[in-house]
Amino acid sequence: MKTILPIVALLALAACSPSTDDKKAAEPPLVAAPPASTALKPPKADIPAGDYVLDKSHASLVFRVSHLGFSHYTAAFGTFDAKLRFDQNNAVASAIEATIDPKSLTLPSPPPGFQADLIGPQWLNTGTYPSITFRSSKVEVTGPDTGKVTGDLTLHGVTKPVTLDVTYNGGYAGHPMDPHARVGFSAKGVFKRSDFGIAFGVPAPGTTMGVGDEVEVQIEAEFTGPPLVNAPPAAAAQ
């Protein structure tokens, strides 16, 4: 739901590389590239397919908007949930649904009345629109541990497609101290708040005097799934 080799490793590989003549002798004939895979292949394998639920203790949902062009104001939502249908070996068949409580907006040192303004009629208008939802419609694999998840975002009463760039951080089938499968993801995306009818404070064209239209979203999430096979009875009951 993004891996760069360290420079030191690249130098080491270069030092150990065969000479040009050796390379010519060892090079195989050119062949057509294999078809793109729909499987994810992170360091950890053998993750069971099935239904997963969000581990809220290991998840965050942060967003950023430009403030006068001087900084990116950063805030978060504290209450949200998600459920995932996951298949590491057929990632395109995976799907996710998420729900956010916009009243759980968490701000850094807000001045008096600021939070009430943001959840009020000019901005999120939580009295009329008490939830934000995202439901995936397409999953595309772009690399061994990366992909794009497109879905319908419903915000401020408006539903539009949004695409998230997702990195699959791996997982395991379970552990005696954590007797359920676990997987983890990092995701990011950008959308325009004015597309969802929240245009208050958007800077005039050609200026930065206001609050930016583009909203950057950053997500970290772990999900737990099917129980560990042959887990000790006491652990499986957790």
Side-chain angles (χ1 to χ4, degrees), residues 201-209:
V202 170
T207 77
T208 58
M209 187 56 63

Side-chain angles (χ1 to χ4, degrees), residues 87-171:
D87 186 346
Q88 179 176 270
N89 294 318
N90 186 21
V92 297
S94 300
I96 187 167
E97 295 182 16
T99 302
I100 304 163
D101 178 1
K103 295 187 294 298
S104 70
L105 184 65
T106 303
L107 307 174
S109 302
F114 186 48
Q115 182 151 352
D117 286 344
L118 292 184
I119 64 175
Q122 286 184 320
W123 296 88
L124 291 172
N125 196 5
T126 60
T128 302
Y129 310 110
S131 68
I132 301 169
T133 63
F134 178 84
R135 176 174 293 183
S136 66
S137 57
K138 179 182 178 182
V139 176
E140 176 188 0
V141 175
T142 59
D145 58 0
T146 60
K148 291 182 179 293
V149 176
T150 299
D152 293 325
L153 175 65
T154 299
L155 168 64
H156 200 251
V158 178
T159 301
K160 287 185 175 292
V162 168
T163 298
L164 299 174
D165 293 310
V166 180
T167 295
Y168 176 37
N169 299 320

Side-chain angles (χ1 to χ4, degrees), residues 17-114:
S17 297
S19 67
T20 303
D21 292 339
D22 291 340
K23 285 182 179 178
K24 288 181 179 178
E27 281 179 354
L30 294 176
V31 295
S37 173
T38 62
L40 295 168
K41 297 179 181 178
K44 303 291 185 180
D46 300 324
I47 311 301
D51 293 329
Y52 286 71
V53 296
L54 183 68
D55 177 357
K56 298 178 186 179
S57 297
H58 296 95
S60 62
L61 175 52
V62 176
F63 67 90
R64 308 193 317 161
V65 291
S66 172
H67 177 248
L68 305 175
F70 298 149
S71 69
H72 284 88
Y73 186 78
T74 303
F77 291 107
T79 302
F80 55 94
D81 202 357
K83 54 185 179 180
L84 170 70
R85 186 175 70 247
F86 181 65
D87 186 346
Q88 179 176 270
N89 294 318
N90 186 21
V92 297
S94 300
I96 187 167
E97 295 182 16
T99 302
I100 304 163
D101 178 1
K103 295 187 294 298
S104 70
L105 184 65
T106 303
L107 307 174
S109 302
F114 186 48

